Amino acid sequence: MATDLRVSLTDRCNLRCTYCMPAEGLEWLPGDDLLTGAELIRLIRVAVDRLGVRELRFTGGEPLLRKDLPQILAAAAELRPRPRMSLTTNAVSLARKARQLALAGLDRINVSLDTLRPDRFAAITRRDRLDDVLTGLAAAQDAGLAPVKVNTVLMRGVNEDEAPDLLQFCLDHGYQLRFIEQMPLDAQHAWDRAKMITAEEILDRLSARFTLTPEPTERGAAPAERWLVDGGPATVGVIASVTRPFCAACDRTRLTADGALRTCLFATTETDLRGPLRAGASDEELAQLWRAAMWGKARGHGINDDGFAQPDRPMSAIGG
């Protein structure tokens, strides 16, 4: 059963990461195509009330660009059973918003951070905002949005040498680090498997400085394999979507900012919920569309198959 719903709030972003989009950005969705706050909450309520969703992850684009985010969080927090809520952000504007988000009902936060070096940060994101991100991380910790998780993508010839430094930084500050294998979800369709740093390589680099032992608890549907660092209790995780797929345990569904339901991050088909919703469909009719889509969920993402086709939507338009 898909109990974890990823909700994209916008396709817009205030960074221009090289592995996500071109320097000039993308053609953003027209405003009328985006789900309104009321429409988002209705679909979330259907998911919680009728489909057993218990975890909500708000994504983008950059979800902090959504002005009604606190209201959406507060409304979702009123649902029963109350879903656990998290959010993935680049943290550029998190410092001034973290406490408000916590008060609205957000439980925890994930922050994307690929380097601790200002020059590299500017090169990767095409923006000079590293200090804002680091300040945002600290603000999230202070606001109680724990555990604060850091998501890192390593790229060959760009930042792979920073793996141990990033882990030490997270250990020093009480953050939980997750390395993510780079996936074929860029708008340019320029992903190259040879340039991807694999899970095995990540672990080898970390093991040069730290002692890693497998975390003994069951992984369940969690995407990250976890290792105890120097005996624990601190851990580090690796999300190896390409080299160690975990599709059989996947419990996630994705709702795009324009109301399309996706059963997989790499799906090439979608189910439109915005159209029926705006045409007057009942909650049960929306739930039936949702169930039908999930029954058709593919067994795997197929990245390693010869016939794999990258989705037309880039990551920013899908939601992580």
Side-chain angles (χ1 to χ4, degrees), residues 6 8 35 254-262 270 313 317-318:
R6 308 294 173 96
S8 179
L35 294 174
R254 287 174 165 81
L255 180 65
T256 66
D258 57 347
L261 183 69
R262 298 177 62 88
E270 303 174 337
R313 285 187 191 248
I318 296 173

Side-chain angles (χ1 to χ4, degrees), residues 1-2 181 183 219-225 239-254 263-267 294 296-305 308:
M1 185 167 63
E181 288 183 339
M183 296 176 282
R219 175 180 174 184
E225 295 179 80
I239 299 176
S241 301
V242 179
T243 63
R244 303 177 185 179
F246 42 88
C247 301
C250 178
D251 66 347
R252 287 170 292 286
T253 314
R254 287 174 165 81
T263 60
C264 175
L265 191 58
F266 299 95
M294 292 310 299
K297 181 179 174 71
R299 292 189 177 187
H301 53 47
I303 289 177
N304 298 305
D305 298 342
F308 173 74

Side-chain angles (χ1 to χ4, degrees), residues 90-107:
N90 60 33
V92 166
S93 61
L94 182 58
R96 65 178 183 271
K97 297 180 179 180
R99 193 159 299 280
Q100 181 187 22
L101 298 179
L103 291 172
L106 188 65
D107 295 303

Side-chain angles (χ1 to χ4, degrees), residues 17-311:
C17 295
T18 55
Y19 56 83
C20 187
M21 66 179 71
E24 65 274 16
L26 300 171
E27 184 176 345
W28 310 123
L29 291 167
D32 290 344
D33 285 359
L34 297 178
L35 294 174
T36 66
E39 289 171 336
L40 276 166
I41 288 301
R42 184 175 172 201
L43 290 175
I44 290 170
R45 188 181 71 243
V46 168
V48 172
D49 286 353
R50 297 172 183 265
L51 300 169
V53 165
R54 297 294 178 261
E55 299 268 347
L56 298 175
R57 171 82 65 83
F58 294 97
T59 69
E62 173 46 52
L64 297 188
L65 296 178
R66 182 95 184 202
K67 293 181 179 180
D68 57 352
L69 175 58
Q71 291 74 32
I72 293 171
L73 291 171
E78 292 295 320
L79 298 173
R80 294 294 180 271
R82 183 196 185 281
R84 181 163 173 80
M85 297 188 292
S86 59
L87 180 143
T88 299
T89 174
N90 60 33
V92 166
S93 61
L94 182 58
R96 65 178 183 271
K97 297 180 179 180
R99 193 159 299 280
Q100 181 187 22
L101 298 179
L103 291 172
L106 188 65
D107 295 303
R108 66 168 190 83
I109 207 134
N110 284 38
V111 172
S112 301
L113 177 65
D114 300 324
T115 179
L116 296 171
R117 303 182 186 182
D119 58 333
R120 282 187 179 176
F121 186 92
I124 293 171
T125 68
R126 302 186 176 103
R127 300 290 187 272
D128 185 13
R129 305 299 294 273
L130 177 59
D131 286 347
D132 294 323
V133 174
L134 299 181
T135 303
L137 275 165
Q141 189 91 296
D142 291 344
L145 296 173
V148 174
K149 296 185 179 181
V150 173
N151 296 338
T152 297
V153 175
L154 295 180
M155 293 158 283
R156 198 172 306 281
V158 178
N159 65 338
E160 76 268 41
D161 59 318
E162 284 192 74
D165 291 341
L166 283 158
L167 178 52
Q168 188 63 62
F169 168 80
C170 289
L171 294 174
D172 291 344
H173 291 82
Y175 308 145
Q176 294 184 7
L177 179 60
R178 300 289 183 268
F179 290 99
I180 304 174
E181 288 183 339
Q182 187 181 4
M183 296 176 282
L185 290 166
D186 58 308
Q188 306 95 307
H189 285 219
W191 179 80
D192 183 349
R193 180 185 289 267
K195 295 180 180 179
M196 179 190 72
I197 305 297
T198 67
E200 183 176 357
E201 291 177 275
I202 293 167
L203 294 171
D204 284 346
R205 287 184 173 275
L206 296 177
S207 296
R209 187 183 302 180
F210 305 96
T211 299
L212 304 181
T213 52
E215 217 274 344
T217 59
E218 287 292 328
R219 175 180 174 184
E225 295 179 80
R226 299 198 302 170
W227 283 263
L228 297 172
V229 180
D230 293 337
T235 64
V236 63
V238 178
I239 299 176
S241 301
V242 179
T243 63
R244 303 177 185 179
F246 42 88
C247 301
C250 178
D251 66 347
R252 287 170 292 286
T253 314
R254 287 174 165 81
L255 180 65
T256 66
D258 57 347
L261 183 69
R262 298 177 62 88
T263 60
C264 175
L265 191 58
F266 299 95
T268 55
T269 60
E270 303 174 337
T271 299
D272 175 34
L273 295 181
R274 183 192 65 199
L277 185 155
R278 292 182 177 176
S282 67
D283 285 359
E284 183 53 30
E285 287 170 331
L286 293 169
Q288 289 287 11
L289 288 169
W290 203 312
R291 291 188 190 101
M294 292 310 299
W295 279 114
K297 181 179 174 71
R299 292 189 177 187
H301 53 47
I303 289 177
N304 298 305
D305 298 342
D306 291 338
F308 173 74
Q310 184 171 334

